[in-house]
Structure formats: structure tokens, C-alpha cells
Amino acid sequence: MKKILYILAIAATTLLASCQKDPIGGTKVQEMSGQWYVQVDIVDASGNVVVEDFNGGRSILLTYNTASDADNVLYVDDLKDFWTFKVQVPCSLSSKTFGSESPVANEYYDCNVTLSNGKIVVDGATTPSEQKADYIEFLVNFDDDDLTSQGYPGVSYPEAYGGVAYKVSGWRYTGFVNDD
């Protein structure tokens, strides 16, 4: 009987030890990665809003790591919800900033995107449910943004409204129903 109990104890110990999971590591840019609810405004050269809520409501935006999991590159992807853009831009984890002053290739279609002055502020936003959440903001321009077909060659939407860029800003997804 003691042998059977001894064998069962060893089997149970072996079974429990085999169920231990290895911890799953995060990505190198996980502090800057996430799902965001954003609004798009048009701003002038001083950063003043000249057209509020250009896209007519909140859009969903994702930020995430590249396949190489570099610690200095971040994907910014609007999931085809605003302009249909997905770009890789340089980032700094220490300052939580991202963007490029020079155009980068759009991975959704043939277009160059200038995404600049990007920043993430920890607990910098208050959501509709009055929760604190991280805040995201950046300026973006598209090289295919012109009103030529509407009789204004070489004029972009921001320029038509007296602006210079689209300002994208919002908060990190919280999971609270009142924030959706």
C-alpha cells in the first residue's frame, strides 16, 4: 500500500510540475503599444484647431511592434478607419515620442505619409467614463491628399480649411463600456 501511495505521489508531483507555464514576455515597445480611440482635427501652423472632428467621430487606431521587435520602431495603423494608413516610424521609449519629419511608405497602398510630433502621455487623458487613460497625439499628412478632382490642384484638405496638418489625438482603450 505504501508503494502505491508513493508512486501516486510521484505521479502527481510530475503531473503538476509539467503543467507549469513559462512566463510570456512582452514586446520591446509594449509601453507604447495599444488600441486607441482617436479624433481627427485639422490644425494650423500654431497648432490651433481650425476644423474640429474632421473624420466625423471617433476612429480606432493601433500602435504595435514590428516583426523584428525593434525597440526604436513603432507601427501606427488606422485599420483603414480614417485614411487607410499603416506606417512604421521611429520611436523613443524613454520619452514616449514617435514620428518622422520625412515621408514614410504607407503599407496599405501606394502613398507616402508624414507622421510627426507623436507622443504618448501616461494618464494624460480623461475618458468619457471619467477614468484616467494614456493620451496619444500626432500630426499626419498624406502625399495623395489633394483636391485636384474638385478643381483645386495642389491643395490638400488641411490647406483648403486654412490648416497645415491633421491632428490625431485620443485615449488608450480602457475596456469600460462607457468609453466605447
Side-chain angles (χ1 to χ4, degrees):
M1 182 69 164
K2 287 184 181 181
K3 285 185 179 181
I4 292 174
L5 290 176
Y6 182 69
I7 291 171
L8 285 175
I10 291 175
T13 303
T14 304
L15 181 62
L16 289 175
S18 67
C19 291
Q20 290 180 347
K21 305 253 188 226
D22 292 330
I24 298 173
T27 68
K28 292 180 180 169
V29 294
Q30 72 184 18
E31 295 172 26
M32 296 178 70
S33 299
Q35 178 176 322
W36 307 86
Y37 285 126
V38 296
Q39 175 176 308
V40 179
D41 301 321
I42 293 178
V43 294
D44 64 16
S46 299
N48 299 312
V49 175
V50 294
V51 177
E52 188 173 355
D53 197 12
F54 180 77
N55 60 325
R58 282 186 276 179
S59 295
I60 295 176
L61 179 89
L62 296 180
T63 54
Y64 51 91
N65 65 306
T66 62
S68 65
D69 197 26
D71 66 356
N72 62 348
V73 181
L74 183 71
Y75 261 114
V76 180
D77 185 346
D78 80 340
L79 300 173
K80 303 179 181 179
D81 197 27
F82 163 56
W83 197 274
T84 307
F85 73 94
K86 175 181 172 182
V87 294
Q88 292 182 44
V89 292
C91 70
S92 167
L93 291 172
S94 60
S95 62
K96 292 195 177 32
T97 57
F98 59 96
S100 173
E101 294 300 322
S102 58
V104 294
N106 184 353
E107 294 188 22
Y108 280 136
Y109 71 96
D110 188 22
C111 159
N112 289 316
V113 179
T114 304
L115 192 152
S116 61
N117 300 330
K119 66 181 178 180
I120 294 172
V121 179
V122 176
D123 290 337
T126 302
T127 67
S129 68
E130 301 298 319
Q131 303 295 316
K132 291 305 263 177
D134 294 349
Y135 173 79
I136 190 170
E137 177 182 295
F138 59 88
L139 299 177
V140 65
N141 288 90
F142 308 93
D143 73 353
D144 65 341
D145 179 10
D146 76 53
L147 299 172
T148 301
S149 64
Q150 296 175 21
Y152 302 98
V155 177
S156 70
Y157 275 104
E159 293 167 338
Y161 292 102
V164 296
Y166 300 99
K167 175 184 160 191
V168 178
S169 60
W171 68 88
R172 188 186 301 267
Y173 172 74
T174 63
F176 292 106
V177 173
N178 292 339
D179 292 339
D180 288 346

